[in-house]
Amino acid sequence: MNIEQLSIFINLAENLSFTQTALKLNISQSAVSQNISKLENQLGFKLFIRNRRTVNLTKSGKIFYINIKPLINIYYKAKQEAQHANDNDQTDLSIGYSGTPWEIAELPGIIKEYKNENPTVKIFLEIHSHENLKQRLSNGDLDIIFTMPDIVRHMSDLHYINLTNGHYVISIPKNENYFFNKEIYVKDLDFKSIIFLDTQWLPTISINLQKKISKLNKNIDITYANNITAENAMVQSGLALGLWCNFVTDPNDSTIYTRPLKTDLKPRYGIAIRKDDNSKAVLHFKNWIKKKELTWK
């Protein structure tokens, strides 16, 4: 068993295609098949169920993938950091976020500022749902994620650092005939059209708020969006009202305006890291972003 075999296994486990694995790793399909067979022989159990049309992980294969993936990530990260130790102390930093309008508008400038102050740090950015973000962080695929505390609450290996205490808002398309006071109550949403977000992109606190709104407003018209970017676009298009946290809003967006929603639920926003990650790059970014004066509507 070697790193090459394990890398081939992980790639095949993730895309379930011998053809795609061969193309991605720049090897032949027969080489993929031979390495998987050798690995299965060494392990003493089958990793995949194969036929002419499909490739699927066995139950043992799924368990092996879940446990070996973090170890391989640690290996490659250790290798990169060791190589960079002789390359002007360059280090890698992988940062994940969910792609909220605020993050899309503001994070590039924040990352650019950090990079200018720390030119030896090589930064990678990824966008995923909150569920995928916390798993990729836990597995070692990411070093830092922007998130909410509810998302990582039950992840014992992760540590959350708060950046802001926010509030919920109703997002309203400009030039639409929605008449609200400066502060909106949940009951004010009855007989209105509103967009809810898929739960994969929400923390528990936001899911509970959506349930509360549905329960208290029997005549509300609800449409679901599968991610926050789609919800924002739907509001911009004048299709319905939006529901999100104030730290989601793009401060430069002139197509919508927001009103605070009266609720006892108080969302928070920050970053999460692995508790056992003591790398200098992660600790330095954590301390840097905590001191950064971030602003939200």
Side-chain angles (χ1 to χ4, degrees), residues 258-283:
T258 61
R259 290 287 183 270
L261 179 65
K262 184 69 174 178
T263 174
D264 294 332
L265 300 173
K266 303 299 180 185
R268 294 186 291 157
Y269 177 80
I271 61 171
I273 62 176
R274 290 186 303 281
K275 290 180 180 178
D276 62 354
D277 192 342
N278 295 314
S279 65
K280 290 182 179 179
V282 170
L283 296 178

Side-chain angles (χ1 to χ4, degrees), residues 158-173:
L158 304 183
H159 173 57
Y160 173 80
I161 300 98
N162 197 55
L163 298 178
T164 187
N165 297 313
H167 59 269
Y168 284 98
V169 299
I170 297 298
S171 301
I172 305 169

Side-chain angles (χ1 to χ4, degrees), residues 2-13:
N2 55 47
I3 294 296
E4 181 182 6
Q5 290 175 341
L6 293 174
S7 297
I8 292 172
F9 162 71
I10 288 171
N11 192 282
L12 183 57

Side-chain angles (χ1 to χ4, degrees), residues 63-192:
I63 294 172
F64 186 66
Y65 169 78
I66 291 170
N67 286 281
I68 204 67
K69 177 72 184 289
L71 298 180
I72 294 299
N73 289 335
I74 291 171
Y75 164 79
Y76 280 118
K77 186 173 182 182
K79 181 180 177 181
Q80 287 177 333
E81 290 185 357
Q83 289 173 333
H84 291 159
N86 294 318
D87 184 20
N88 297 321
D89 293 326
Q90 180 169 303
T91 55
D92 294 341
L93 194 61
S94 297
I95 301 173
Y97 57 105
S98 62
T100 68
W102 181 88
E103 289 170 339
I104 291 172
E106 299 296 318
L107 272 187
I110 293 170
I111 298 301
K112 182 178 181 180
E113 182 179 345
Y114 181 79
K115 175 68 174 176
N116 289 338
E117 295 178 17
N118 303 273
T120 61
V121 179
K122 189 174 183 179
I123 299 175
F124 302 89
L125 300 176
E126 295 184 15
I127 294 179
H128 298 282
S129 71
H130 284 295
E131 287 298 312
N132 287 339
L133 283 173
K134 69 180 182 182
Q135 291 301 331
R136 290 182 66 78
L137 176 62
S138 182
N139 290 344
D141 295 319
L142 293 169
D143 300 306
I144 297 168
I145 63 171
F146 284 84
T147 188
M148 297 171 70
D150 275 14
I151 298 292
V152 297
R153 176 174 296 168
H154 300 298
M155 304 291 286
S156 60
D157 59 330
L158 304 183
H159 173 57
Y160 173 80
I161 300 98
N162 197 55
L163 298 178
T164 187
N165 297 313
H167 59 269
Y168 284 98
V169 299
I170 297 298
S171 301
I172 305 169
K174 286 284 182 69
N175 303 321
E176 294 294 326
N177 294 321
Y178 288 102
F179 299 102
F180 292 113
N181 295 321
K182 290 185 177 181
E183 190 172 57
I184 300 172
Y185 289 81
V186 170
K187 61 181 177 59
D188 294 332
L189 299 174
D190 208 17
F191 294 97
K192 303 293 191 301

Side-chain angles (χ1 to χ4, degrees), residues 23 36 40 60 112 198 210 267 288 293:
L23 289 172
I36 293 299
E40 289 177 330
S60 296
K112 182 178 181 180
D198 185 282
Q210 288 188 169
W288 183 87
E293 291 186 4

